[in-house]
């Protein structure tokens, strides 16, 4: 297979295992490129990409921008907080105004689930979802699975537990789809109030006890409690959450085996993981960030080749 089955990356739900493998193989090549002394290739020299961020971001925004620049694309950045969205302009009007400046691709983070899907139906550009509310964060899940593949050689057959605030997490949903498509076995662990009721329909088991979950898994992906998406309290206190669902070095060292610890960031140090875990050799958190650039280069490159192909 040499091209993606989709024209947009809206969610892992919409792509196939073959798409994911193609993205990984392409990312292998770009990872080699970004470790050279000359890190830039001319692949997207005729492509203009708009990064539209309607929600805060550090890793995803910088990683996309770097990926675009490494591919020699022309890049425009838009942040809702300093734009005419504040004066009441709609999403479609905002995007159409940007597209009239001849933009080919849009990378968008938005607080509303489905914003990327909506946009893909209304504008003539390739859309990449950089996180839509509590729905999906496909490039995060791709870089997470890619990092597991890099560390453990394969994703198939690996046992992965996703710990924490599953209910409000786009990272959890995209990771579940990606890991299952790649043949991993996935469990979730967290307070009952933060586990969605539909979780069993996704073929995911719930483990309420963190020590049992960690003793079962090869990889633990620790999620942040997303206070910004909560209007009520889902657990009594942060201290109690940390006591039951936080990983510290003592717990990690007392397990039957050495597991891999992941975190999508931003980390609440001392809440979901302690600093000595985040900075330990079992944690691959910064490898995830590094791999994010290669994965995003691969996604942009493969989607752009479809635009060029469709124009031929
Ligand atoms: N992991 C992630 O999406 O981080 P940002 O919110 O900083 O982009």
């Amino acid at each position: 297979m040499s091209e993606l089955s989709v024209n947009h990356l809206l969610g892992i739900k919409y792509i196939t295992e073959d798409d994911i493998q193609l993205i990984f193989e392409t990312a292998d090549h770009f990872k080699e490129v970004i470790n050279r002394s000359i890190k830039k290739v001319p692949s997207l020299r005729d492509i203009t990409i708009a990064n539209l961020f309607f929600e805060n971001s550090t890793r995803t925004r910088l990683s996309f921008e770097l990926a675009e620049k490494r591919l020699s694309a022309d890049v425009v950045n838009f942040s809702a907080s300093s734009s005419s969205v504040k004066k009441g302009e709609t999403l479609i009007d905002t995007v159409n105004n940007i597209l009239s400046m001849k933009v080919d691709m849009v990378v968008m983070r938005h607080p509303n689930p489905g914003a990327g899907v909506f946009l893909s139906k209304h504008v003539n550009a390739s859309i990449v979802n950089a996180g839509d509310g509590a729905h999906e964060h496909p490039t995060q899940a791709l870089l997470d699975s890619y990092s597991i593949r890099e560390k453990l050689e394969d994703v198939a057959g690996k046992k992965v537990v996703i710990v924490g605030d599953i209910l409000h997490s786009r990272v959890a949903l995209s990771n579940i789809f990606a890991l299952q498509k790649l043949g991993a076995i996935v469990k979730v662990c967290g307070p009952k109030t933060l586990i969605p009721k539909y979780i069993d329909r996704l073929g995911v088991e719930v483990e309420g006890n963190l020590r049992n979950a960690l003793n079962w898994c090869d990889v633990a992906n620790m999620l942040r409690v997303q206070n910004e998406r909560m209007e009520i309290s889902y657990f009594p206190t942060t201290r109690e959450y940390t006591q039951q669902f936080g990983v510290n070095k003592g717990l990690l060292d007392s397990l039957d085996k050495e597991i891999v610890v992941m975190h999508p960031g931003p980390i609440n140090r001392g809440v979901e993981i302690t600093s000595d875990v985040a900075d330990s050799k079992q944690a691959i958190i910064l490898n995830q960030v590094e791999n994010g650039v290669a994965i995003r280069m691969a996604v942009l490159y493969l989607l752009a080749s479809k635009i060029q192909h469709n124009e031929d």
Side-chain angles (χ1 to χ4, degrees):
M1 189 176 134
S2 60
E3 68 169 23
L4 294 174
S5 65
V6 290
N7 294 326
H8 310 276
L9 180 63
L10 301 173
I12 302 292
K13 186 168 55 186
Y14 309 108
I15 64 173
T16 64
E17 188 199 345
D18 283 349
D19 288 326
I20 300 177
Q21 298 293 3
L22 177 62
I23 292 167
F24 284 3
E25 284 156 25
T26 312
D28 288 341
H29 166 69
F30 285 129
K31 186 149 182 186
E32 190 259 309
V33 168
I34 56 183
N35 281 302
R36 289 183 199 156
S37 52
I38 297 171
K39 300 172 170 56
K40 223 166 158 164
V41 285
S43 315
L44 298 195
R45 212 170 37 200
D46 300 324
I47 295 286
T48 304
I49 304 176
N51 299 314
L52 312 189
F53 279 73
F54 293 84
E55 221 187 41
N56 294 343
S57 169
T58 299
R59 277 145 294 270
T60 312
R61 192 169 57 81
L62 290 179
S63 178
F64 266 112
E65 189 173 341
L66 205 54
E68 291 152 5
K69 289 181 171 166
R70 297 271 189 259
L71 291 166
S72 306
D74 289 321
V75 179
V76 284
N77 289 308
F78 164 94
S79 164
S81 57
S82 56
S83 74
S84 292
V85 169
K86 290 275 169 215
K87 301 176 197 161
E89 192 166 43
T90 65
L91 174 60
I92 292 286
D93 280 343
T94 300
V95 174
N96 274 329
N97 274 277
I98 292 166
L99 290 180
S100 65
M101 301 174 206
K102 305 289 176 227
V103 168
D104 304 291
M105 303 178 79
V106 174
V107 173
M108 184 172 75
R109 171 166 288 191
H110 200 279
N112 295 348
V117 174
F118 173 77
L119 202 60
S120 69
K121 292 183 176 148
H122 290 88
V123 300
N124 184 23
S126 185
I127 311 295
V128 182
N129 178 6
D132 59 333
H135 179 223
E136 281 228 38
H137 191 351
T139 54
Q140 180 69 46
L142 290 167
L143 74 88
D144 288 344
S145 288
Y146 184 80
S147 301
I148 294 174
R149 168 186 179 263
E150 183 177 70
K151 182 75 180 173
L152 302 178
E153 288 181 7
D154 202 353
V155 179
K158 299 295 181 296
K159 296 175 187 164
V160 182
V161 63
I162 305 172
V163 181
D165 180 2
I166 313 298
L167 184 67
H168 300 100
S169 175
R170 53 195 174 212
V171 176
L173 191 59
S174 287
N175 259 271
I176 290 167
F177 289 139
L179 290 164
Q180 288 181 337
K181 284 181 190 205
L182 293 168
I185 308 140
V186 187
K187 285 190 184 184
V188 293
C189 177
K192 277 198 180 99
T193 48
L194 290 175
I195 305 287
K197 294 203 175 8
Y198 58 78
I199 198 80
D200 52 343
R201 294 206 301 270
L202 298 176
V204 172
E205 269 184 48
V206 180
E207 171 56 69
N209 181 284
L210 180 63
R211 176 179 288 280
N212 291 346
L214 297 180
N215 269 326
W216 168 82
C217 75
D218 301 303
V219 179
N221 196 352
M222 306 299 301
L223 302 183
R224 182 175 65 88
V225 174
Q226 309 222 355
N227 290 312
E228 72 276 19
R229 297 195 203 285
M230 297 182 188
E231 277 157 14
I232 55 165
S233 270
Y234 286 79
F235 45 84
T237 61
T238 303
R239 192 157 156 265
E240 283 173 73
Y241 176 88
T242 300
Q243 274 172 354
Q244 278 196 61
F245 298 104
V247 175
N248 57 48
K249 197 70 170 66
L251 174 57
L252 208 55
D253 290 344
S254 72
L255 299 176
D256 300 339
K257 58 183 173 185
E258 190 165 295
I259 63 166
V260 176
V261 177
M262 302 177 70
H263 195 302
I267 301 172
N268 282 325
R269 285 178 183 255
V271 180
E272 63 271 6
I273 50 174
T274 50
S275 280
D276 50 9
V277 172
D279 301 332
S280 72
K281 66 176 180 22
Q282 281 170 260
I284 59 165
I285 297 167
L286 292 178
N287 305 79
Q288 291 170 257
V289 177
E290 181 186 341
N291 287 334
V293 178
I295 281 289
R296 290 177 174 119
M297 285 173 82
V299 166
L300 295 166
Y301 171 80
L302 290 165
L303 288 174
S305 29
K306 293 207 76 172
I307 299 173
Q308 284 155 345
H309 188 248
N310 290 341
E311 282 172 354
D312 288 343

